[in-house]
Amino acid sequence: VQLQASGGGLVQAGGSLRLSCVASGFTLDYYVIGWFRQAPGKRREGVGCISSSDSSTYYAESAKGRFTISRDNAKNTAYLQMNNLKPEDTAIYFCAIEDAYNDCFNVPEDVYEYWGHGTQVTVSS
């Protein structure tokens, strides 16, 4: 089981990035996928998630209206589209999966069982 997040980089404020989370060794179809981030000196926080049952999505307040999570089960990949990026979005971004729930609303972080290596996102002002 392996998850690999990619797509991070350096972008100016107001710019966009699309992160990918590719799964290998298993199929993502039945997993909830969560996106998290950790800024320097801060705790890891949830950005949003996408359910396995109906691909419904939920977002942290900081991400609403700017970020969009999607999944392409045929490609075994999930995406985090980030628009109108702000310097405070600078962090390492992680994807994680769990299959204890079908709907990802309010799933505790410690339920996520597999985590990918993060990808750095840096937003300059």
Side-chain angles (χ1 to χ4, degrees):
V1 173
Q2 188 172 6
L3 290 172
Q4 181 63 55
S6 63
L10 173 63
V11 64
Q12 288 188 330
S16 298
L17 283 173
R18 188 176 80 156
L19 306 185
S20 299
C21 175
V22 180
S24 58
F26 66 100
T27 178
L28 273 179
D29 295 36
Y30 304 107
Y31 287 90
V32 160
I33 303 163
W35 282 97
F36 299 82
R37 68 185 183 186
Q38 187 166 20
K42 294 188 178 181
R43 292 182 60 186
R44 188 167 60 195
E45 63 177 1
V47 173
C49 61
I50 185 165
S51 301
S52 59
S53 54
D54 59 0
S55 293
S56 55
T57 52
Y58 303 95
Y59 299 94
E61 284 298 322
S62 59
K64 285 181 181 178
R66 300 188 301 126
F67 293 4
T68 303
I69 296 173
S70 60
R71 64 193 298 160
D72 185 339
N73 288 340
K75 294 183 179 180
N76 233 21
T77 302
Y79 303 98
L80 175 63
Q81 177 68 44
M82 304 186 293
N83 298 327
N84 191 21
L85 283 161
K86 304 175 181 180
E88 52 263 43
D89 295 317
T90 295
I92 300 173
Y93 284 72
F94 303 87
C95 57
I97 61 172
E98 62 87 7
D99 64 354
Y101 299 89
N102 293 326
D103 188 280
C104 71
F105 181 67
N106 270 350
V107 172
E109 184 176 318
D110 60 4
V111 172
Y112 286 86
E113 54 189 323
Y114 298 111
W115 292 76
H117 295 292
T119 185
Q120 177 71 47
V121 171
T122 303
V123 184
S124 62
S125 57

